[in-house]
Structure formats: C-alpha cells, structure tokens
Amino acid sequence: MKFEEEIGDLFVTESEVTVKLHPSCKTKKKPIAWFADGEVQDHRRAVRDIQGLVEGLRGKTRIVRGLTVTTDRGAHFDLDGSGLGDAVEKAGFSILN
C-alpha cells in the first residue's frame, strides 16, 4: 500500500477547532469548550479532539505528521505558553510554524 503525506492546518478559536489537510483540501470543524482566555483548559480533551479530527480526515492511504497551528488571537500568539503546542505534540503531531 502506497502512503501519501499530507500537512494539516489547525485553527483554534474559543468556540471551535478546524483542521484542513493539504493537498487533499479536506476540512472538518468541531465545537469545543477546552480553549478559553487564550489557554488550553482541558489538555486531555484537546488532545483527543485534535487526534479525532485529523484521523477522521486523513483516510487509510494518507499520513499526517505535522500541523501548522494558528488561533484567532493573531500571529504573535504564544502557542507554548497557552498549552496549545503541548496538546498538539501529545496528539502525535509536530508543529510546523
């Protein structure tokens, strides 16, 4: 079986998380309650949601190793200080930005 590698974009707001895979352009959104005041409030749920969204999109012949992570708080947002970077890494993905 031949595997194709994809890169994902993860966009987080206080009310939803969105994953878009490239080059397939598959997109999926999910409402969340674990990101508030610029911090991850529930790491376990964040990890589970991120894993579930990516796994639901990738399919059997695609591999996703890295995610570009952004939020609605802008380009200078501290991913590590918020706990979002840690949640992405615990979900099994590297951060590409």
Side-chain angles (χ1 to χ4, degrees):
M1 183 179 288
K2 183 180 176 188
F3 290 99
E4 293 181 47
E5 189 165 337
E6 290 197 298
I7 295 173
D9 291 333
L10 180 75
F11 183 71
V12 180
T13 68
E14 290 197 10
S15 61
E16 88 180 357
V17 61
T18 304
V19 174
K20 182 175 184 177
L21 298 183
H22 302 284
S24 69
C25 294
K26 294 180 181 180
T27 304
K28 194 168 189 177
K29 296 180 181 185
K30 180 175 182 159
I32 60 169
W34 46 259
F35 190 72
D37 299 324
E39 293 184 357
V40 175
Q41 305 293 321
D42 184 346
H43 286 276
R44 186 176 295 158
R45 182 172 283 166
V47 169
R48 186 177 44 197
D49 285 350
I50 293 167
Q51 284 175 335
L53 281 172
V54 174
E55 293 299 313
L57 286 175
R58 73 174 180 89
K60 293 181 181 179
T61 61
R62 302 193 183 270
I63 297 172
V64 178
R65 291 192 179 116
L67 297 173
T68 302
V69 182
T70 55
T71 70
D72 60 345
R73 297 192 172 248
H76 299 291
F77 181 70
D78 181 17
L79 292 176
D80 293 328
S82 70
L84 192 53
D86 188 45
V88 169
E89 289 174 355
K90 285 183 180 178
F93 306 102
S94 60
I95 298 175
L96 302 176
N97 51 329

